[in-house]
Amino acid sequence: MKLILCTTDAPSGDQTGHQMAYATTNPATGKVEKTFETLSDAALGAILDETVCCFREDWPHRPIAERAAILKRAAKIIRDEQQSIAEIMTRDMGKLIAQAIGELQLSAAILDYYADTAANFLAPKAPPGALAATLHAQPLGALLAVEPWNFPFFQLARVAGPQLMVGNVIVAKHASNVPQSALAFEDVLRRAGVPAGAYADIFATTDQVGTIIDDPRIRGVTLTGSEKAGATVAERAARSLKKSVLELGGSDPMIVLEDAPFDTTVLNAMVGRMNNTGQSCVATKRMIVVGEERGRQFLEAMTAAMASLTPGDPLDASTTLGPVSSEGALQGLLKQVEAAHTGGATVALGGERIDRPGSYLQATILTDITPDNPVYRQELFGPVLSFYVVPDEAAAIALANDVPFGLGGSVFTADLERGKRVALAIESGMAFVNSPTWSTPQMPFGGVKNSGYGRELSQLGFGEFVNWKLLAVSPAGSPPPGAETAG
Ligand code: NAP
């Protein structure tokens, strides 16, 4: 193995290279605002060296309280500068400015929460019944985090908060369409006191991501993104026996039972489907209403609510329908809607590009989607609601589970016990009663089936890259184990 001398002065700001793949293309205007070159292999190697040195000699050896104070400073910077950071995120990927600010507040809360709880999470534990044995939390080392554009700060915070408190160090490859958000997050951590070797953002190519995964300096990989990217990265990690965590796509059902209160259920469905212009892995992608008459009423109400959204500049606080993240994303959604229609679905609302600059899709509702329709089992990652009416609870559960995904799901009802029973019957990593799937710093996040494996956030996510090392201590002069039964 290569000997690394821990005196490297890594050119972490020197992102010199060959490719201009990272760019802010404002989806509200279609204009390319800024481009960035990808890293040279030499610069990337130096960053990995610095990361390993930081792990070996610095970051995990600092007292938990010192790491916590740094993360709390980062949370404060995010809150103090939320308006300017939110504008960067909105320019990168088009989210409504108020939702960008909400995301930053959640990101700051995540950093605070893990700073506050780490000492407790990391305290040694005694395995029940095992006398004189304890488990000690040790960090694994340098992790690669591959992240998507849809929540540009939250996705990074939910890796960095817990993992930096564990004592791991992170190399982060953010999506190529949110480079300024990626730099802003790194800048916040740096100003708070996180050393360059403990968190480094890299503008890496897909090929370089593969090379980084193979590199013995990297000890684990976490990816949030599509099934395709997840499978590629997990396969590569498995080849060198590295642990991976995958947070992938979803097609969350929202089951509306006969007794669900009408108005609040519509409000929840709107937030569940339209938050982040529908570009959330846990968005309410399929609304499943029990009962013909209620189905008709809910469709009417959802059509009116979605039709009332006002497209406009996402930086303008009065806009309620922003662009989708890119022209490519818009074209993909238009193709899915067209294929749904050709396959027999009814486009009950919208379905077309909005005639204005930028990548805007009308708020869209699809009905009459049969199991042979291509969109029946696909994820619709944008402002498109699939609307179903079923005769009873059993049919609702069967439909909810008839997709390859298993991320989140929700049930709306006045009967909480029934709601819990139905929610537990949804094949998913998360299920909510009377709320769309949501994320807080305290709750674990993750799925089953093609939505991935492993968890982020909570004690579960915190522990994904921890070596819970067994320490068993016997008194000096003890006989060898098994001696008393060895005959
Ligand atoms: P994506 O194409 O998979 O991109 C996600 C990240 O993976 C980006 O950084 C991307 O880099 C990188 N990437 C793509 N292909 C790769 C490969 N072959 N090898 C290594 N890295 C690769 O995902 P997306 O379509 O932008 O994001 C939307 C998807 O993410 C949806 O399916 C959504 O549901 C899912 N998602 C899941 C969660 C969750 O927590 N479960 C949260 C948010 C989003 P480039 O940008 O450079 O291509």
Side-chain angles (χ1 to χ4, degrees), residues 21-22 145-151 154-155 158 173-178 204-207 209-210 213 223-230 232-233 246-250 279-282 285 325 379 381 405 407 430 445-447 451-452 456:
Y22 285 70
V146 182
E147 299 301 322
W149 46 265
N150 63 340
F151 292 98
F154 164 77
Q155 301 289 0
R158 75 177 184 171
K173 181 255 176 281
H174 214 333
S176 47
N177 59 333
V178 289
T205 64
T206 300
D207 284 351
V209 170
I213 296 171
L223 176 136
T224 298
S226 60
E227 291 164 270
K228 192 166 165 235
T232 307
V233 162
L246 299 182
E247 301 287 354
L248 309 179
Q279 303 163 113
S280 166
C281 51
V282 289
K285 294 181 183 126
S325 64
E379 177 180 36
F381 209 61
F405 301 104
L407 193 53
M430 304 169 276
F445 194 102
S451 295
E456 283 191 319

Side-chain angles (χ1 to χ4, degrees), residues 142-446:
L143 307 177
L144 171 67
V146 182
E147 299 301 322
W149 46 265
N150 63 340
F151 292 98
F153 253 56
F154 164 77
Q155 301 289 0
L156 298 176
R158 75 177 184 171
V159 175
Q163 296 311 326
L164 288 175
M165 285 313 304
V166 163
N168 288 313
V169 297
I170 299 163
V171 178
K173 181 255 176 281
H174 214 333
S176 47
N177 59 333
V178 289
Q180 299 199 71
S181 302
L183 292 176
F185 188 81
E186 183 186 52
D187 177 58
V188 166
L189 292 190
R190 199 70 76 247
R191 281 190 282 142
V194 175
Y199 182 93
D201 184 78
I202 52 166
F203 291 161
T205 64
T206 300
D207 284 351
Q208 285 174 323
V209 170
T211 313
I212 298 168
I213 296 171
D214 295 343
D215 195 298
R217 288 169 288 189
I218 293 291
R219 298 308 319 148
V221 184
T222 180
L223 176 136
T224 298
S226 60
E227 291 164 270
K228 192 166 165 235
T232 307
V233 162
E235 183 187 357
R236 191 89 178 220
R239 274 194 238 158
S240 50
L241 304 176
K242 287 174 192 169
K243 178 165 183 183
S244 57
V245 167
L246 299 182
E247 301 287 354
L248 309 179
S251 187
D252 284 11
M254 171 183 182
I255 296 178
V256 182
L257 295 175
E258 303 89 325
D259 60 352
F262 193 84
D263 292 345
T264 52
T265 301
V266 171
L267 286 177
N268 275 284
M270 282 301 289
V271 171
R273 178 58 285 198
M274 296 306 296
N275 182 45
N276 214 36
T277 320
Q279 303 163 113
S280 166
C281 51
V282 289
T284 299
K285 294 181 183 126
R286 297 175 297 142
M287 189 167 178
I288 303 170
V289 181
V290 175
E292 275 301 320
E293 180 53 20
R294 293 257 296 175
R296 198 189 54 70
Q297 291 166 356
F298 271 108
L299 179 59
E300 202 174 288
M302 288 303 294
T303 304
M306 286 177 74
S308 73
L309 298 174
T310 320
D313 181 355
L315 288 168
D316 179 342
S318 66
T319 298
T320 49
L321 180 64
V324 294
S325 64
S326 67
E327 188 56 28
L330 174 61
Q331 293 305 327
L333 285 162
L334 288 168
K335 272 197 196 120
Q336 281 183 294
V337 171
E338 193 188 331
H341 184 54
T342 308
T346 303
V347 182
L349 177 73
E352 293 188 8
R353 176 182 203 128
I354 298 176
D355 185 16
R356 54 168 294 137
S359 310
Y360 287 79
L361 178 66
Q362 292 175 331
T364 299
I365 301 180
L366 302 174
T367 60
D368 306 312
I369 305 167
T370 48
D372 58 347
N373 193 299
V375 301
Y376 181 81
R377 289 188 175 80
Q378 288 173 359
E379 177 180 36
L380 284 156
F381 209 61
V384 184
L385 176 68
S386 297
F387 189 93
Y388 297 88
V389 179
V390 292
D392 53 31
E393 176 192 303
I397 295 170
L399 176 55
N401 291 336
D402 197 16
V403 289
F405 301 104
L407 193 53
S410 58
V411 182
F412 283 73
T413 175
D415 179 345
L416 297 189
E417 286 312 309
R418 184 181 175 205
K420 284 192 247 175
R421 179 174 52 71
V422 173
L424 288 172
I426 298 174
E427 294 166 356
S428 65
M430 304 169 276
F432 287 65
V433 176
N434 293 325
S435 157
T437 310
W438 210 243
S439 184
T440 67
Q442 302 81 4
M443 293 193 294
F445 194 102

